Amino acid sequence: GREALVARARDLWGGAVDALINNVGTNIRKPIQDVSPDEYEGMMATNCGSCFFLCQQMGPLLFQGQGACVVNVASVAGVTSSGTGVPYGMTKAAMGQLTKGLACEWAPKGVRVNCVAPWMTLTPLLREAVAANPAQLDAVAARTPLGRVAHPEEIASAVVFFMLPASSYVTGQTLVVDGGLTANGFAGPCAPEPGPGRPRDKEVRPLG
């Protein structure tokens, strides 16, 4: 459990840890009426509770670190609705707020706390999930201004940035790594033509 992990980290690095990355998540994609109490509690515990309690237990080690930092990996689903289910979005939004509160609480101790919120990323898990129908990613690419999903190293690079001296004056922030998704509002006349898998807007006729 967490206690064993903290004890191992203490033994390995003499009681001082320079960085903690909270990168875990699970989801059960269901409408809110279909989510059972056990499913809800499980997502809250895995996605949000794990981050909270590991920060709590690793705190004393981080306080002894050199320029220590915490990087929480959340999701675009915690910034805007992405259709992945209400409980999942709630847990990822909570990680963003945990980041802000903890950044202020731990700043006097010299520990920075930031968050990375990725969009859909070509992890092995995603590749397996879409193997039977890769075309389902076309709609994601069409809605994303950069026209594709992310690669894992692009998300990792954002995490690394928060661990480097280059971000030494940055704390309490959520960096959204989403190919422009959350910046993409209404597709007006100056927007690019719809991409693969994205239907053109249907003609809307006035009533009457």
Side-chain angles (χ1 to χ4, degrees), residues 15-202:
V17 169
D18 294 338
L20 169 63
I21 302 170
N22 288 300
N23 181 30
V24 67
T26 188
N27 192 13
I28 299 172
R29 294 174 176 84
K30 292 182 178 180
I32 190 169
Q33 293 88 349
D34 297 334
V35 178
S36 71
D38 286 345
E39 289 170 336
Y40 172 82
E41 295 294 344
M43 281 186 275
M44 291 295 293
T46 299
N47 296 358
C48 188
S50 63
C51 176
F52 177 91
F53 289 111
L54 192 55
C55 285
Q56 185 183 62
Q57 294 181 32
M58 290 288 285
L61 279 66
L62 290 161
F63 302 156
Q64 300 301 316
Q66 297 295 316
C69 67
V70 177
V71 184
N72 298 319
V73 180
S75 170
V76 162
V79 179
T80 189
S81 176
S82 65
T84 55
V86 171
Y88 182 77
M90 288 171 58
T91 62
K92 294 303 183 177
M95 290 186 72
Q97 190 59 37
L98 183 152
T99 296
K100 292 179 180 180
L102 196 57
C104 296
E105 184 174 321
W106 281 1
K109 301 180 182 298
V111 179
R112 296 180 300 107
V113 185
N114 289 292
C115 183
V116 173
W119 180 217
M120 197 168 288
T121 305
L122 277 176
T123 61
L125 187 63
L126 179 62
R127 290 182 187 275
E128 181 180 344
V130 303
N133 181 21
Q136 61 187 294
L137 294 180
D138 290 346
V140 175
R143 190 68 180 84
T144 305
L146 287 183
R148 61 177 177 83
V149 298
H151 295 288
E153 56 268 27
E154 293 174 309
I155 310 305
S157 294
V159 173
V160 170
F161 165 71
F162 281 134
M163 299 168 63
L164 293 174
S167 64
S168 59
Y169 198 58
V170 181
T171 195
Q173 304 303 307
T174 295
L175 175 59
V176 181
V177 187
D178 68 350
L181 177 78
T182 52
N184 193 16
F186 176 70
C190 296
E193 286 294 310
R198 181 178 176 186
R200 293 178 179 273
D201 294 335
K202 296 181 179 179

